[in-house]
């Protein structure tokens, strides 16, 4: 990441940030409602532990034109950029989508397709979905979990799903509490920071990706030192770039 | 500051007339386009390299040699020469020959290309694309600077006692630009060698390439070639100009709407969000001055003017409008904005002066044929005797 990139990153504070990404369309949307319940419960649990946190929501329905435009133009426009930057600085993400045609909504997937591969590394993520039928109950586990695994996020053990009948079932509340406990524990533990601080340079980063290690305050505090974050000058390629040869061990 | 045009050598159906030029027509047209740019007073003409339809330029040095023969002042360049799939030995030979024939009016831009199958067609592995680019340039750099090269790399047959011929004109290699849109290693290599760096500045938002250009600038300074602001930066762009803005949009719209990149957003939105320049001469001037605001002082500005099936008459008209109404103003405005001491892109004459001062340039003359079609252990009469060629035993 370069100095110019650092400038547009939201400064980190001690308040933890939980970002809900909702692909719900209706108002109210049941997808958003499920995510909100999880977010609220997570906030409550964190507060009990003395951890201050706040929730921000990215409503993908309001960004549908920008997402479409980014998909066909190949770049993220000005109106979509704040949403991506919010994710870059999030301490945890709650992903919420309706199920359409036995899968995550196209809007949801289109948005995720635009993100840098390293944007969510080691971030705690809750996967949640709603559907018109309980037959879609495995969509969060079978579709959303692998998607965030690809992005190397930390998906919490409990995936949340709600069909119409679940809204009248106390068991949904129990599952929300379970998921909130998991999410709050991961946020509180600072595991994302531990992983990123220990291994950030070992992940592949696209040049000028706005991804940053979660919670690493030094990254934001000292842009001069992090001018070339994500660039490993000691790689085989960099050795080749400067007239040398790759490490002998790598030559076959 | 140099201003010119670059082309990818596409042969594209004109979406307005439905007419597709033949390869023969398009090749003639591009030669005419380069000649026209020379006569109009533009500084640079660059052509890409492709190895499949709908492109024609599989052989840039042949094309540029013909153009060199019919032009007087314009600097010829490439956009880009594939440093990945071409043998660097052939690049050294072909471009040195072209440099002689063009009397030094030549530089070249190295790139990785944008067509995946070219790698397997030429027996290379695309997963090693960046490795190939870096290693191949390391060899090319030496072939143009050392009479006798021993080489052992990962990708090509080792060389023993190899001399690339002809030696560069005046023993001064063509200036090299490294083109890249996202690869810091390429920018690093450009900086390490003190070569130029070119960002194509198309098909991406305004300022998208700034981080990579800034990276190159800082590393250029790091390697001691000068201040960051002195690094040799080239930018691309695309232009469609008409006297009146509304005519430019009306004329260009069908070509943009049928672009082969799959971009399907309104032209106005596209020109607002990206470096694409469509409009009156003044609008194109303002847009280009905006590049300077973003990237700082730079040395070369090239525009694509012949893409998307535009007819030859429109292409020539674009060259006229650039040369008559846009570039003269930009020359003046950018010169006025230029910080003291920022260099120009080096020409052959500049490089000769830098190497020799007022002394005559080296003119290598081979030693006699030893009887086996080689000169034996020392290729040239003035070769360093301490560096003897050890050639492969047969």
């Amino acid at each position: 990441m370069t100095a110019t990139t650092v400038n547009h990153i939201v400064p980190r504070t001690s308040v933890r940030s939980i970002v809900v990404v909702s692909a719900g369309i209706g108002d109210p949307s049941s997808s958003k409602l499920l995510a909100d319940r999880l977010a609220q419960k997570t906030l409550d649990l964190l507060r009990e532990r003395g951890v201050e946190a706040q929730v921000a929501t990215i409503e993908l329905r309001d960004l549908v034109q920008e997402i479409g435009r980014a998909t066909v133009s190949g770049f993220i426009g000005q109106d979509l950029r704040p949403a991506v930057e919010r994710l870059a600085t999030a301490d945890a993400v709650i992903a919420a989508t309706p199920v359409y045609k036995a899968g995550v909504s196209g809007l949801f997937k289109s948005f995720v397709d635009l993100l840098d591969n390293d944007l969510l590394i080691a971030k705690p993520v809750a996967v949640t979905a709603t559907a018109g039928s309980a037959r879609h109950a495995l969509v969060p586990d079978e579709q959303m979990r692998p998607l965030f695994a690809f992005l190397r996020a930390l998906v919490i053990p409990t995936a949340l799903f709600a069909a119409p009948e679940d809204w009248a079932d106390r068991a949904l509340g129990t599952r929300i509490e379970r998921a909130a406990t998991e999410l709050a524990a991961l946020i509180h533990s600072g595991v994302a920071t531990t992983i990123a601080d220990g291994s950030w340079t070992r992940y592949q980063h696209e040049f000028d990706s706005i991804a940053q290690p979660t919670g690493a305050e030094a990254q934001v505090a000292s842009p001069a030192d992090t001018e070339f974050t994500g660039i490993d000058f000691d790689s085989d390629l960099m050795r080749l770039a400067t007239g040398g040869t790759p490490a002998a061990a790598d030559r076959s | 500051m140099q201003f010119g045009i670059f082309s990818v050598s596409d042969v594209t159906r004109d979406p307005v007339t439905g007419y597709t030029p033949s390869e023969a027509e398009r090749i003639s047209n591009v030669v005419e386009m380069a000649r026209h740019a020379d006569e109009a007073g533009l500084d640079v003409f660059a052509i890409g390299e492709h190895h499949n339809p709908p492109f024609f330029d599989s052989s840039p040095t042949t094309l540029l040699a013909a153009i060199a023969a019919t032009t007087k002042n314009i600097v010829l360049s490439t956009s880009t020469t594939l440093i990945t799939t071409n043998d660097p030995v052939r690049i050294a030979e072909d471009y040195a020959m072209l440099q002689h024939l063009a009397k030094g009016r030549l530089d070249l831009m190295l790139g990785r290309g944008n067509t995946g199958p070219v790698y397997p067609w030429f027996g290379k592995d695309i997963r090693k694309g960046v490795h190939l680019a870096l290693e191949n340039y390391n060899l090319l750099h030496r072939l143009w600077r050392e009479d006798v090269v021993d080489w052992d790399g990962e990708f090509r047959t080792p060389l023993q006692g190899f001399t690339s011929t002809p030696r560069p004109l005046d023993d001064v290699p063509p200036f090299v630009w490294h083109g890249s849109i996202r690869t810091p290693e390429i920018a690093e290599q450009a900086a390490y060698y003190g070569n130029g760096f070119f960002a194509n500045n198309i098909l991406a938002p305004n300022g998208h390439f700034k981080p990579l250009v800034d990276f190159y600038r800082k590393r250029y300074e790091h390697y001691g070639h000068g201040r960051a602001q002195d690094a040799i930066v080239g930018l691309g762009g695309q232009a469609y100009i008409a006297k009146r803005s509304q005519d430019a949009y009306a004329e260009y719209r069908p070509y943009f709407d049928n672009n082969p990149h799959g971009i399907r957003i309104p032209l106005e939105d596209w020109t607002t969000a990206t470096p694409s320049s469509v409009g009156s001469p003044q609008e194109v001037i303002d847009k280009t001055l905006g590049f300077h605001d973003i990237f700082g002082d730079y040395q070369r500005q090239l525009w694509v003017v012949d893409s998307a099936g535009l007819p030859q008459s429109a292409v020539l008209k674009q060259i006229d409008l650039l040369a008559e109404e846009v570039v003269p103003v930009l020359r003046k405005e950018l010169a006025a904005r230029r910080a003291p001491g920022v260099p120009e892109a080096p020409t052959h004459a500049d490089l000769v002066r830098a190497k020799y001062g007022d002394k005559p340039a080296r003119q290598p003359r081979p030693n006699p044929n030893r009887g086996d079609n080689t000169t034996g252990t020392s290729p040239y009469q003035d070769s360093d005797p301490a560096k003897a060629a050890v050639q492969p035993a047969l």
Side-chain angles (χ1 to χ4, degrees):
Chain A
M1 156 191 343
T2 67
T4 49
T5 311
V6 169
N7 291 338
H8 59 235
I9 299 258
V10 184
R12 185 171 297 289
T13 66
S14 59
V15 180
R16 305 300 176 88
S17 150
I18 299 170
V19 176
V20 172
V21 178
S22 170
I25 298 301
D27 195 4
S29 137
S30 62
S31 298
K32 169 98 172 11
L33 188 63
L34 182 61
D36 282 348
R37 284 186 63 184
L38 174 59
Q40 187 56 51
K41 193 68 204 166
T42 309
L43 279 184
D44 293 346
L45 291 173
L46 286 170
R47 223 160 263 153
E48 280 171 27
R49 300 174 193 204
V51 179
E52 227 190 309
Q54 61 190 20
V55 176
T57 301
I58 300 170
E59 291 270 19
L60 298 183
R61 68 172 183 213
D62 297 336
L63 297 169
V64 60
Q65 294 196 19
E66 285 303 315
I67 291 168
R69 191 167 293 222
T71 302
V72 294
S73 67
F75 60 85
I76 289 174
Q78 289 306 315
D79 296 339
L80 192 53
R81 197 145 179 100
V84 179
E85 286 170 5
R86 205 169 267 290
L87 281 176
T89 53
D91 291 284
V93 176
I94 297 174
T97 180
V99 173
Y100 296 149
K101 312 296 182 218
V104 298
S105 90
L107 178 60
F108 179 79
K109 181 62 162 63
S110 295
F111 176 69
V112 175
D113 285 349
L114 298 170
L115 303 179
D116 284 346
N117 286 348
D118 55 352
L119 195 75
L120 301 181
I121 286 175
K123 283 190 203 295
V125 172
V127 289
T128 76
T130 57
S133 157
R135 290 185 182 88
H136 297 303
L138 281 175
V139 164
D141 273 317
E142 291 200 324
Q143 297 192 14
M144 298 175 81
R145 192 178 288 279
L147 178 61
F148 287 100
F150 171 81
L151 294 169
R152 293 159 297 180
L154 274 180
V155 183
I156 61 169
T158 298
L160 286 181
F161 172 82
E165 60 269 30
D166 288 310
W167 294 103
D169 187 343
R170 203 170 296 155
L172 178 61
T174 310
R175 288 200 296 277
I176 290 170
E177 275 179 38
R178 216 168 70 202
T181 304
E182 295 162 1
L183 192 57
L186 284 177
I187 294 169
H188 188 215
S189 73
V191 63
T193 311
T194 310
I195 292 173
D197 282 358
S199 265
W200 188 251
T201 57
R202 295 193 190 94
Y203 296 100
Q204 220 176 33
H205 302 283
E206 278 173 60
F207 183 74
D208 200 33
S209 161
I210 67 165
Q212 55 179 311
T214 303
E217 283 163 36
Q219 291 291 327
V220 178
S222 166
D225 295 342
T226 60
E227 202 166 46
F228 302 130
T229 297
I231 296 193
D232 177 6
F233 287 103
D234 196 32
S235 67
D236 278 0
L237 284 175
M238 278 301 188
R239 276 191 290 275
L240 257 182
T242 52
T245 53
D250 297 329
R251 299 270 304 276
S252 50
Chain B
M1 179 91 183
Q2 296 172 330
F3 298 90
I5 53 175
F6 69 134
S7 169
V8 294
S9 86
D10 58 307
V11 186
T12 303
R13 174 181 169 274
D14 182 332
V16 175
T17 63
Y19 181 75
T20 305
S22 68
E23 290 175 337
E25 281 173 86
R26 186 73 170 114
I27 292 168
S28 300
N29 284 348
V30 166
V31 172
E32 181 188 31
M33 190 176 136
R35 201 167 53 225
H36 197 78
D38 181 46
E39 287 163 1
L42 294 183
D43 305 314
V44 182
F45 172 82
I47 188 85
E49 174 181 342
H50 284 272
H51 294 274
N52 54 277
F55 305 91
F56 71 79
D57 188 25
S58 57
S59 184
T61 53
T62 312
L63 178 67
L64 289 175
I67 290 172
T70 59
T71 52
K72 288 193 178 69
N73 302 311
I74 199 162
V75 171
L76 306 176
S77 189
T78 54
S79 56
T80 63
T81 293
L82 299 180
I83 186 63
T84 44
T85 47
N86 285 305
D87 182 352
V89 171
R90 290 297 301 160
I91 294 179
E93 293 174 341
D94 285 342
Y95 284 88
M97 177 66 94
L98 176 58
Q99 185 198 24
H100 277 272
L101 294 174
K103 307 283 183 219
R105 282 190 289 124
L106 173 81
D107 55 43
L108 68 160
M109 192 201 309
L110 303 175
R112 287 194 286 141
N114 60 3
T115 310
V118 174
Y119 286 86
W121 285 332
F122 287 88
K124 307 293 185 205
D125 180 351
I126 193 168
R127 294 166 301 183
K128 289 283 187 181
V130 181
H131 289 81
L132 280 160
L134 297 171
E135 181 177 298
N136 284 348
Y137 179 70
N138 288 339
L139 174 54
L140 176 63
H141 188 87
R142 288 188 55 199
L143 289 168
W144 276 342
R145 285 163 179 81
E146 299 170 35
D147 282 357
V148 178
V149 171
D150 294 332
W151 170 263
D152 182 10
E154 190 178 348
F155 297 111
R156 91 175 295 293
T157 312
L159 294 171
Q160 280 178 279
F162 182 76
T163 300
S164 174
T165 55
R167 301 308 298 150
L169 178 66
D170 301 317
D171 205 23
V172 170
F175 187 71
V176 168
W177 302 77
H178 299 258
S180 175
I181 59 170
R182 61 167 160 256
T183 313
E185 287 84 359
I186 299 295
E188 177 80 357
Q189 189 172 43
Y192 173 76
Y193 286 108
N195 293 341
F197 183 77
F198 190 92
N200 72 9
N201 206 28
I202 51 174
L203 303 173
N206 294 312
H208 178 77
F209 301 102
K210 180 175 167 58
L212 200 52
V213 168
D214 284 349
F215 175 78
Y216 157 72
R217 287 186 184 280
K218 285 169 190 150
R219 301 301 289 172
Y220 183 92
E221 181 168 299
H222 170 84
Y223 285 112
H225 299 296
R227 302 169 299 173
Q229 68 189 92
D230 299 334
I232 308 297
V233 172
L235 296 176
Q238 171 273 327
Y240 190 89
I241 315 162
K243 293 269 186 191
R244 300 191 320 159
S245 181
Q246 56 268 47
D247 292 339
Y249 275 91
E251 289 164 23
Y252 188 61
R253 191 179 311 280
Y255 297 92
F256 175 76
D257 287 348
N258 286 281
N259 70 75
H261 310 292
I263 302 156
R264 297 293 181 264
I265 66 175
L267 178 57
E268 286 78 3
D269 293 358
W270 180 253
T271 54
T272 303
T274 77
S276 196
S277 303
V278 177
S280 65
Q282 189 57 47
E283 284 175 296
V284 176
I285 289 165
D286 291 343
K287 184 107 190 185
T288 312
L289 292 175
F291 300 168
H292 179 271
D293 293 340
I294 295 170
F295 292 95
D297 290 331
Y298 63 111
Q299 282 72 17
R300 174 174 287 185
Q301 172 66 53
L302 303 181
W303 291 277
V304 175
V305 294
D306 70 331
S307 64
L310 284 163
Q312 181 73 352
S313 56
V315 173
L316 299 182
K317 180 84 183 148
Q318 291 305 307
I319 292 170
D320 289 337
L321 285 165
L322 273 178
E324 289 163 17
E325 308 213 13
V326 173
V327 167
V329 179
L330 285 174
R331 278 195 208 285
K332 204 164 129 239
E333 292 290 330
L334 289 172
R337 284 163 169 75
R338 209 170 183 81
V342 172
E344 299 289 342
T347 61
H348 181 71
D350 295 334
L351 294 170
V352 168
R353 205 172 309 115
K355 181 168 181 181
Y356 301 104
D358 296 332
K359 298 195 184 74
R362 179 187 180 218
Q363 300 299 339
R365 295 164 211 278
N367 281 319
N369 187 333
R370 193 173 60 166
D372 59 356
N373 271 343
T374 77
T375 54
T377 58
S378 186
Y380 295 102
Q381 293 171 16
D382 60 351
S383 289
D384 179 2
K387 181 114 200 265
V390 181
Q391 294 181 335
L394 295 175

